[in-house]
Amino acid sequence: MKKFTRKLISQRYLQMMVLLGVAWMIVFNYIPLYGIIIAFKDFNIIKSISEAPWVGLKHFKAFLTDENLLYVLKNTLGMSFFKLIIGFPLPILFALFLNELRNVRFKRFVQTISYLPHFLSWVILGGILTTWLADVGIINNILMALHWIDEPISYLAEPSYFWGIVVTSDIWKELGWSAIIYLAAISSVSPELYEAATIDGAGRFQQMFRVTLPMIKGTVSILFILAVSGILNSNFDQVFILRNQLNETASNVIDTYVYQTGITQGRYSYSTAVGLFKSIIAFILLLCANFVTKKLNDTSLF
Amino acid sequence: MIRMRVKRNLGDALFDWGNVILMLFICFITLYPIWYVLINSFNDGVDAMRGGIYWLPRVFSLESYEAVFKNKGLMTSMGVTVAKTLIGTVVHVLFTAMVAYGISRKDLIGRNLYMLIGTITMFFGGGLIPTYLLMRDLHLLDNFMVYIIPAMFSFFDLIIFTTFFRDIPEGMEEAAKIDGANDLKIFFRIVLPVSMPVLATIAMFHGVFQWNDYFTAVIYTNNAALQPIQTFLYRIVALSGSNQIASVVPGNVVRTVTSQSVKLATMVITTVPIVMVYPFLQKYFVKGFMIGSMKG
């Protein structure tokens, strides 16, 4: 005991440094966790959390019978689904082709340019998109000049275009950035494998898909688990900036719905219940995706 | 990757050329939208409304930029953004690194408990409303500190720091201890100076976050004097099409600028700092990303 005390005293500065961080986490991470209980209460902004009366699952029932539930869920899952089936493989393909470039300087040049959009905010990208898709914007100008359309289309006012815009702009922004991690994995593939493949007569496409791709399978699996578990996160910033009252039916997702009911309408308990519902499903999805990839090829997050 | 080949056949050559063309196409698609914004922002606003400016400005004009720089509200926003980026980044990096240094020391009493407390925060969060209520109770609403304090620590960044700190030779710390330095002194005088690469990486990630963050202000402030430039721009973008943009343009300016051209000029001004520091940071983030991805 004496030894313990002496050790504790000797590392008093270290303990102080760490405990400041722990205190921060308790305030900013753990107190909001406690705040979740308002999902089971009728919380009123004037009273404190502990004073509010318990109401059980009332708000969850309200959400599950909400007429908005159907399209909010449909939009959340729909956008994520298309991002997953189109946006997930493209960076892998990009990394594979990039890896085949022979000129190292040109390769670095392409990489530098492809990362750039990642550093622009979604606000900037929203500005670019509203400019491009405006009635007098470049897209309408080109399509009209080609006589494909007779009058300008208001893309952002038309729900049927919203998913396409969101998926395409997301790929534009993140293609290069998402490829970094695959390039890192590829760089550790032994060159001897390619030599052997060449001697066996493998062409360049065969080398890409028979050598490189199988070698980075582990990385692909891990990122796939993360992508699936994030399927309920339909990139809040992007949707939040591009949505408006006219495209509402195609643009409202769980996260924007939480914002709308909570911050805009002040239905705190209801909004928290919706958020909690989302977190639980997301956690279950993470466990499922982890289980499936573990069975398939022995890679897993935990 | 350099590969030795005895002979390049025709198929190989075709593949290489096709690949180069594909990559040039991707570069074009990536850069052109940014170029388009740039040239249109340098064009006379009224003239630009006719459209058709694809490669270079048609009627060169700096008036949109003048309108932006003369607008007091916009300049205040720029000041808020610069301040929150600089202060926020320094505070985040120093604080997170300090906690990480303590945790990286293997003999620290309670280390496993601290790690558990942190790991839980990576998987569970309170969500929007409980966090909002916390900010309200801490009197951070309509307060500049809302940009700094809730963002001063990140457990994910802590893990990247500890990975790095563990590789610092113990001899350096021992020597300092014999000279009578305490752990705080060792951290500031020895550990921080030798950790520049990882400090730069985290500073870069957090700096970009602070610069681009618009949402904190959307929820937590109503005060125009605390509004960062991205939030300013968000309001313009989200409201585009409606009349409210007109209020951005001061009334006494001769109307050669339009709400659209002011929007484009603001976008360019907001993007320039990121594009300028980008080449210097690139070597760091590729490295940093790899450290992060191995742990994450």
Side-chain angles (χ1 to χ4, degrees):
Chain A
M1 202 58 212
K2 217 172 179 183
K3 206 177 149 201
F4 178 84
T5 323
R6 200 177 305 139
K7 195 175 167 195
L8 198 62
I9 290 170
S10 80
Q11 50 179 235
R12 60 190 182 281
Y13 289 108
L14 283 178
Q15 289 289 348
M16 242 163 53
M17 290 158 92
V18 175
L19 286 173
L20 281 173
V22 172
W24 186 96
M25 284 192 276
I26 288 171
V27 174
F28 288 96
N29 294 128
Y30 284 85
I31 291 178
L33 277 181
Y34 164 76
I36 289 178
I37 64 168
I38 67 170
F40 305 97
K41 291 185 158 202
D42 260 337
F43 176 73
N44 183 319
I45 195 86
I46 307 156
K47 290 185 195 149
S48 73
I49 293 176
S50 54
E51 283 168 338
W54 292 96
V55 293
L57 294 175
K58 176 181 152 192
H59 300 295
F60 291 88
K61 281 180 193 147
F63 173 57
L64 293 174
T65 53
D66 191 330
E67 54 180 10
N68 298 319
L69 171 75
L70 209 63
Y71 80 86
V72 168
L73 273 185
K74 190 180 125 200
N75 292 334
T76 311
L77 295 172
M79 276 183 236
S80 297
F81 175 75
F82 284 107
K83 274 185 193 167
L84 199 63
I85 60 163
I86 305 169
F88 186 76
L90 278 182
I92 304 174
L93 273 178
F94 176 62
L96 289 176
F97 276 99
L98 200 59
N99 180 55
E100 293 290 329
L101 285 180
R102 288 169 187 277
N103 187 325
V104 178
R105 284 174 72 177
F106 181 60
K107 185 174 155 187
R108 201 162 295 154
F109 169 78
V110 176
Q111 268 185 284
T112 304
I113 287 177
S114 70
Y115 301 151
L116 184 63
H118 172 79
F119 290 90
L120 306 182
S121 68
W122 271 114
V123 178
I124 297 288
L125 209 54
I128 294 180
L129 284 167
T130 50
T131 310
W132 277 56
L133 299 171
D135 287 0
V136 291
I138 184 167
I139 304 281
N140 273 317
N141 282 344
I142 291 173
L143 292 181
M144 299 243 292
L146 291 171
H147 297 286
W148 284 6
I149 52 172
D150 295 326
E151 48 187 81
I153 300 171
S154 303
Y155 296 94
L156 284 167
E158 194 68 54
S160 52
Y161 291 108
F162 194 81
W163 289 12
I165 295 168
V166 163
V167 172
T168 314
S169 57
D170 187 57
I171 292 170
W172 182 84
K173 190 171 187 290
E174 304 297 345
L175 180 78
W177 188 254
S178 315
I180 294 186
I181 190 154
Y182 299 115
L183 285 167
I186 290 173
S187 67
S188 61
V189 178
S190 157
E192 287 167 22
L193 288 174
Y194 295 102
E195 281 166 32
T198 317
I199 291 163
D200 287 345
R204 299 286 285 279
F205 280 106
Q206 279 178 318
Q207 287 182 31
M208 277 163 61
F209 292 102
R210 300 267 168 86
V211 181
T212 315
L213 192 59
M215 290 307 286
I216 61 169
K217 205 172 73 178
T219 310
V220 172
S221 303
I222 296 275
L223 288 175
F224 190 74
I225 299 173
L226 293 173
V228 169
S229 61
I231 202 159
L232 295 182
N233 295 325
S234 354
N235 200 344
F236 177 80
D237 284 332
Q238 182 186 12
V239 175
F240 191 69
I241 280 156
L242 294 174
R243 68 192 274 264
N244 56 44
Q245 276 160 0
L246 296 168
N247 62 32
E248 171 94 17
T249 49
S251 63
N252 211 356
V253 294
I254 296 181
D255 287 335
T256 49
Y257 191 63
V258 168
Y259 176 85
Q260 189 184 315
T261 52
I263 302 286
T264 318
Q265 300 167 2
R267 296 160 67 190
Y268 294 104
S269 287
Y270 180 77
S271 168
T272 306
V274 178
L276 181 59
F277 172 80
K278 188 198 117 162
S279 305
I280 294 167
I281 306 282
F283 194 66
I284 295 171
L285 277 174
L286 176 72
L287 295 179
C288 291
N290 194 52
F291 177 78
V292 171
T293 35
K294 205 174 187 172
K295 282 276 172 241
L296 285 180
N297 59 12
D298 273 347
T299 351
S300 71
L301 212 52
F302 32 72
Chain B
M1 177 167 311
I2 302 149
R3 285 184 221 161
M4 299 293 286
R5 267 204 184 71
V6 187
K7 201 176 98 189
R8 285 183 64 191
N9 57 30
L10 183 67
D12 253 14
L14 275 179
F15 179 93
D16 282 334
W17 279 109
N19 199 4
V20 167
I21 291 168
L22 174 75
M23 290 302 161
L24 286 175
F25 177 71
I26 290 175
C27 289
F28 175 75
I29 298 266
T30 310
L31 287 182
Y32 184 69
I34 301 168
W35 178 249
Y36 182 85
V37 168
L38 191 69
I39 53 167
N40 274 278
S41 74
F42 280 113
N43 201 82
D44 180 272
V46 176
D47 177 67
M49 278 168 76
R50 282 169 40 217
I53 301 164
Y54 298 130
W55 304 111
L56 287 169
R58 188 165 48 211
V59 182
F60 184 83
S61 155
L62 289 174
E63 285 180 35
S64 307
Y65 287 90
E66 261 175 55
V68 172
F69 284 113
K70 273 185 192 153
N71 186 312
K72 278 224 177 74
L74 258 167
M75 283 299 101
T76 313
S77 294
M78 199 49 146
V80 172
T81 304
V82 172
K84 89 196 252 284
T85 303
L86 292 180
I87 301 170
T89 305
V90 170
V91 171
H92 175 90
V93 169
L94 286 183
F95 188 74
T96 307
M98 182 187 78
V99 182
Y101 176 64
I103 285 190
S104 74
R105 294 277 293 262
K106 286 193 188 71
D107 58 342
L108 187 81
I109 295 167
R111 184 164 172 266
N112 289 336
L113 175 69
Y114 301 144
M115 284 303 281
L116 180 70
I117 290 173
T119 311
I120 289 173
T121 66
M122 298 220 295
F123 289 95
F124 302 98
L128 191 68
I129 301 301
T131 309
Y132 176 85
L133 294 175
L134 173 71
M135 299 302 166
R136 191 195 60 166
D137 294 343
L138 292 174
H139 301 287
L140 286 172
L141 301 188
D142 284 323
N143 181 341
F144 180 77
M145 283 299 142
V146 79
Y147 301 129
I148 313 297
I149 298 172
M152 72 193 275
F153 182 77
S154 147
F155 193 73
F156 186 80
D157 291 352
L158 176 140
I159 291 176
I160 297 176
F161 274 127
T162 49
T163 318
F164 190 91
F165 291 154
R166 230 173 278 146
D167 293 338
I168 298 175
E170 271 177 45
M172 287 172 86
E173 292 159 355
E174 306 268 307
K177 233 173 212 166
I178 291 164
D179 290 345
N182 64 35
D183 287 310
L184 261 178
K185 229 177 207 163
I186 294 175
F187 171 69
F188 281 106
R189 298 272 170 81
I190 295 171
V191 175
L192 281 188
V194 301
S195 307
M196 283 323 278
V198 71
L199 292 174
T201 307
I202 303 293
M204 199 241 17
F205 278 119
H206 195 74
V208 171
F209 163 78
Q210 284 283 4
W211 187 270
N212 283 342
D213 173 47
Y214 70 100
F215 192 63
T216 308
V218 170
I219 341 179
Y220 300 126
T221 75
N222 284 316
N223 186 346
L226 286 174
Q227 182 171 258
I229 191 93
Q230 300 275 358
T231 313
F232 196 98
L233 204 55
Y234 160 72
R235 296 200 204 275
I236 300 179
V237 170
L239 299 172
S240 48
S242 62
N243 299 326
Q244 279 153 290
I245 315 166
S247 61
V248 174
V249 185
N252 56 353
V253 176
V254 189
R255 298 305 291 253
T256 54
V257 297
T258 60
S259 55
Q260 175 69 12
S261 67
V262 168
K263 180 178 106 182
L264 295 178
T266 313
M267 282 163 61
V268 172
I269 295 168
T270 313
T271 309
V272 161
I274 293 250
V275 176
M276 290 216 308
V277 292
Y278 175 73
F280 301 101
L281 299 168
Q282 203 193 343
K283 61 175 179 184
Y284 286 121
F285 72 67
V286 175
K287 219 185 287 166
F289 197 94
M290 289 187 186
I291 302 171
S293 64
M294 272 182 270
K295 300 303 290 181

